Amino acid sequence: MIYRTPSRLLLALAALLVPAAAQAQAAGNPQGSGPIVAALAWMQGTLLGNVATAVAVMAVAAVGFGMLTGRMNWRFGATVIIGVFIIFGAGSIVTGIQSATAVG
């Protein structure tokens, strides 16, 4: 009886130290998240759709014209242009981060 206890302890300790997949990394959407996923897809479509593209083009044109004529601070203009690149490149940025951190 005395010899069984340390082996069980070692077995339990080994089971705790073996890496396992986290529940948050499971593929697919969780059950009951359909309305949330649909709402986020709508928001993504709105933020990256035709209207948003037209607004971004006009914003970059206005900022560029303001910087060209010396009426706008270069730092503010660069911030607007970098923000547009981040918004429209968010999908590619996230895909790159996911592929860089993919295990296996």
Side-chain angles (χ1 to χ4, degrees):
M1 287 285 213
I2 296 173
Y3 298 109
R4 290 185 184 174
T5 306
S7 63
R8 287 185 182 175
L9 179 63
L10 288 175
L11 184 62
L13 196 64
L16 289 175
L17 296 177
V18 173
Q23 292 293 340
Q25 296 173 350
N29 296 325
Q31 185 177 8
S33 66
I36 296 170
V37 171
L40 292 175
W42 173 82
M43 185 179 294
Q44 179 183 6
T46 302
L47 290 175
L48 300 176
N50 294 335
V51 175
T53 303
V55 169
V57 167
M58 289 186 287
V60 170
V63 166
F65 185 72
M67 290 183 347
L68 182 67
T69 58
R71 296 179 181 174
M72 185 172 292
N73 184 2
W74 281 86
R75 178 177 279 175
F76 177 73
T79 303
V80 169
I81 293 171
I82 290 171
V84 169
F85 282 125
I86 290 174
I87 288 172
F88 287 104
S92 299
I93 293 169
V94 170
T95 302
I97 291 171
Q98 286 177 340
S99 66
T101 61
V103 177

